[in-house]
Amino acid sequence: MIPGEEPLASSGHYEYHNRPRHDSFWGGLYATALAVTVFGGLYGSVHRNRKFALLSGTEVRSDPSSCPVGHNLFSAQLQEQPGDFSISEFMSKAATWLLVSAVLSLALGLMFLYVFKWHSRIMTRITIQIQVLLPAIMGIAAICAGQVGGGLILILLALLAALVFWMWRGEIELCARLLGIAAAGLNENPGLLGFVVLAKFALLSVMLPLLAFSGLAYTNGDLVPNSQRASLSSSTCQDAEGTPVDCCVWQVDSWVGPYMTLSNVTLLWSIFLVFEVRVFTIAGTVAQWYFSPPGVAANQGTTMRSVRHALGASFGSLSLGSLVLTVVQLLRNAMENAKQQAQQEGGSLLVSLASCLMECVYSLIDYLTKFATVRMAITGEAFLEAARRATDLLARNFLKAYGVWWFPPMVLNCAAVLLSLAWGLLIFTLSWLRWQPSANGTMEAAILGVLCFVMALVVLAFFSSVLLNIVDAVFMCYALDLDTQSVTKSEVHEVFSQVPVGVAVEQPGGDYAYGAPASPARGHAYVPPSHPAAAAGQSPMAHRSHDSSAQV
């Protein structure tokens, strides 16, 4: 705990009612940006150049009397090299396969959760071993093929990875047990999956109109002479070096450029805002489950309560957090553009070093913003206050925080890729055995396998992202327990501290010791004052275990 300060989450409990509005200015700024973007899109739709399709078409651009154009290489290639592959024929054959694969991909995702709930250690070890064995096998194969230098480098990387994983074996074990708790937490709060799906649809409902408005805005303009055109030879225009160029180019109206910049920023801001709302809601729901007192239903209305907090008192704070992520992404894009330009000019070393340094800074900002959002969901604090407190908390628990930062995403992403790859190979094999006699059977089977791989990867990435958000929330709840010298969920403390579980007692010398927790009187389990059960006057039964059903 920060000296002289009391956290809003009294005794580490979730704040149910005392949630004043914070950062309202940023919520209003986002609403204004969205409204201006929508208004500009509607204006562009009404005043668009209705001849845009004709003026930008191949016929007009290739007409010497209006807008002659040079050789269209891409179209020529398509005409000169027609393929025998038919998309319509492939879709008619693969439709059933894709539908069945989509359904079974969901089953694969549920199996993914089940495996990590009950066998998280096995899955973690498998992913770690594969990351060591794969480069080693590739290195041996390269040496056998005569590429000794490349093979030795791959084997050296495998040995280095093995050394790193061995040095961090304690954190890897922590990661495995924490993933089991996260899967159990998701099992206790199944409404989170439905919420995340709805959040994705909400994001699409914002993204698609904004993208359409940007496209309509671009149609506001007209054809103008190409400034690079220097001469006209036969039916083509040429630049000063004699290279064919377009005779005319499309020039947008003066307001379109600033509008598209605003539209792109608003679109990016909206994407990150939905991401922040998702993190906030998952963290709030998990915190209510984590801090729920004995005998009180831990999963009734928790998701909707968190959604109300996100779209209500904390909306301004989430708008500010998402704006920070938006600015970071724009700076990333600018740095990447500078890096590519430097590579083209042959002087990319300093830019690459600066890019690596700034990427570390950007990743740290992303990390702190995520945990600030998790803390906001639990305490109801303003964004900057939550960020300051979360940063201080993570600094006091740096090694465990670093393990939570790196290992769970690595394990989940690797497992998702491996399972998706196995699924894609299975579909490829089955479809190839069936379609092999046909002319394009192998190609069609390969395309189907890739599509099924991508489909499975999207589904598993969806479940992985939810599990990772739960991991972050559980870690923050555990850290708040440490600050308030309490043990709410014993199995989580066993995972992190690996010490006998009990009540932390401060000793005269400043150290802490764990004693056996006091048992509440039968039928009189403690309910925090902010919990709805306290207002309802409920007296939960103490015989219900406070511990989660997670297997660790």
Side-chain angles (χ1 to χ4, degrees):
M1 182 184 301
I2 301 175
E5 296 187 28
E6 291 291 330
L8 289 179
S10 178
S11 299
H13 290 99
Y14 179 85
E15 184 58 66
Y16 286 88
H17 302 300
N18 184 23
R19 288 179 175 263
R21 289 186 177 274
H22 296 293
D23 304 317
S24 299
F25 169 80
W26 302 104
L29 182 63
Y30 170 76
T32 301
L34 183 61
V36 172
T37 303
V38 172
F39 175 80
L42 295 175
Y43 175 85
S45 175
V46 173
H47 295 84
R48 68 185 186 277
N49 189 331
R50 302 183 185 277
K51 297 181 179 180
F52 173 78
L54 176 63
L55 295 176
S56 60
T58 305
E59 297 81 2
V60 175
R61 291 185 291 110
S62 61
D63 186 355
S65 62
S66 58
C67 187
V69 68
H71 180 58
N72 190 327
L73 180 59
F74 180 71
S75 298
Q77 289 178 341
L78 291 180
Q79 294 174 1
E80 294 168 2
Q81 301 177 2
D84 297 328
F85 178 74
S86 172
I87 296 179
S88 59
E89 181 180 352
F90 167 75
M91 290 305 299
S92 64
K93 294 171 62 176
T96 303
W97 289 82
L98 292 173
L99 179 61
V100 172
S101 179
V103 175
L104 293 181
S105 294
L106 294 176
L108 187 66
L110 296 176
M111 185 193 73
F112 185 77
L113 294 179
Y114 174 84
V115 169
F116 271 101
K117 178 181 179 181
W118 299 106
H119 306 288
S120 58
R121 287 175 177 166
I122 295 177
M123 290 298 296
T124 301
R125 289 169 183 169
I126 289 175
T127 56
I128 295 298
Q129 292 169 0
I130 289 177
Q131 293 184 65
V132 175
L133 291 176
L134 187 59
I137 294 173
M138 293 174 61
I140 294 174
I143 292 176
C144 294
Q147 302 294 329
V148 179
L152 291 176
I153 292 176
L154 288 173
I155 293 176
L156 181 62
L157 289 176
L159 293 175
L160 181 61
L163 176 63
V164 170
F165 291 138
W166 182 82
M167 294 175 60
W168 287 81
R169 58 192 182 278
E171 284 70 19
I172 293 174
E173 177 67 16
L174 181 150
C175 166
R177 304 183 73 182
L178 188 57
L179 288 175
I181 290 179
L186 182 58
N187 184 65
E188 291 290 328
N189 300 275
L192 287 176
L193 294 177
F195 161 75
V196 175
V197 172
L198 291 177
K200 288 184 177 295
F201 280 110
L203 178 59
L204 286 176
S205 67
V206 175
M207 285 181 58
L208 295 179
L210 292 181
L211 290 173
F213 286 148
S214 295
L216 290 172
Y218 186 75
T219 63
N220 286 257
D222 207 343
L223 286 177
V224 297
N226 189 352
S227 59
Q228 297 181 350
R229 184 178 62 184
S231 62
L232 177 64
S233 176
S234 67
S235 61
T236 61
C237 294
Q238 299 176 346
D239 60 11
E241 298 178 355
T243 304
V245 296
D246 291 345
C247 294
C248 301
V249 295
W250 180 260
Q251 179 173 295
V252 297
D253 293 341
S254 58
W255 65 271
V256 174
Y259 170 78
M260 295 191 71
T261 300
L262 174 64
S263 178
N264 292 335
V265 171
T266 303
L267 177 60
L268 198 58
W269 194 354
S270 300
I271 293 173
F272 283 117
L273 179 58
V274 173
F275 169 80
E276 286 284 280
V277 170
R278 190 190 75 172
V279 172
F280 183 100
T281 302
I282 292 176
T285 303
V286 171
Q288 292 174 75
W289 163 73
Y290 183 98
F291 290 121
S292 60
V296 175
N299 58 355
Q300 294 183 357
T302 53
T303 303
M304 287 305 302
R305 183 180 295 116
S306 297
V307 172
R308 288 196 298 270
H309 290 161
L311 301 181
S314 296
F315 182 77
S317 299
L318 294 176
S319 299
L320 176 55
S322 56
L323 180 60
V324 171
L325 296 178
T326 301
V327 173
V328 167
Q329 186 59 46
L330 293 174
L331 292 175
R332 272 196 176 107
N333 295 341
M335 180 61 69
E336 185 63 25
N337 292 334
K339 183 178 179 180
Q340 293 178 358
Q341 183 177 358
Q343 289 176 347
Q344 294 175 356
E345 297 175 355
S348 61
L349 179 59
L350 293 179
V351 177
S352 297
L353 292 176
S355 177
C356 291
L357 177 62
M358 294 308 299
E359 183 60 34
C360 293
V361 175
Y362 299 150
S363 298
L364 182 60
I365 294 175
D366 289 344
Y367 183 66
L368 295 178
T369 301
K370 176 180 63 177
F371 275 101
T373 304
V374 173
R375 184 178 175 94
M376 283 193 302
I378 300 172
T379 65
E381 295 168 326
F383 175 76
L384 294 179
E385 179 68 11
R388 183 177 67 85
R389 291 179 181 270
T391 302
D392 182 74
L393 182 147
L394 293 173
R396 292 195 300 273
N397 300 275
F398 172 74
L399 291 180
K400 293 185 177 70
Y402 185 80
V404 172
W405 182 6
W406 183 31
F407 285 109
M410 179 196 67
V411 170
L412 287 175
N413 293 336
C414 182
V417 171
L418 291 175
L419 286 175
S420 301
L421 183 60
W423 180 251
L425 290 175
L426 176 63
I427 296 299
F428 164 74
T429 303
L430 295 177
S431 59
W432 179 77
L433 292 174
R434 183 177 180 84
W435 296 345
Q436 183 183 10
S438 62
N440 296 311
T442 302
M443 179 189 297
E444 292 173 344
I447 295 175
L448 179 61
V450 171
L451 291 176
C452 292
F453 162 75
V454 173
M455 191 181 303
L457 185 60
V458 169
V459 172
L460 294 182
F462 165 76
F463 286 103
S464 297
S465 65
V466 177
L467 285 178
L468 290 176
N469 292 150
I470 294 177
V471 167
D472 297 333
V474 169
F475 177 76
M476 180 61 71
C477 293
Y478 160 78
L480 288 174
D481 264 356
L482 292 184
D483 272 9
T484 55
Q485 305 175 23
S486 59
V487 178
T488 303
K489 284 210 180 301
S490 59
E491 68 273 17
V492 176
H493 284 255
E494 289 175 354
V495 167
F496 280 106
S497 59
Q498 302 297 315
V499 297
V501 177
V503 177
V505 180
E506 185 174 5
Q507 303 299 306
D511 297 326
Y512 290 94
Y514 278 80
S519 301
R522 188 173 183 84
H524 296 282
Y526 172 73
V527 180
S530 61
H531 194 281
Q538 297 180 11
S539 179
M541 298 301 293
H543 66 269
R544 177 174 175 177
S545 172
H546 193 191
D547 296 342
S548 165
S549 60
Q551 301 297 317
V552 296

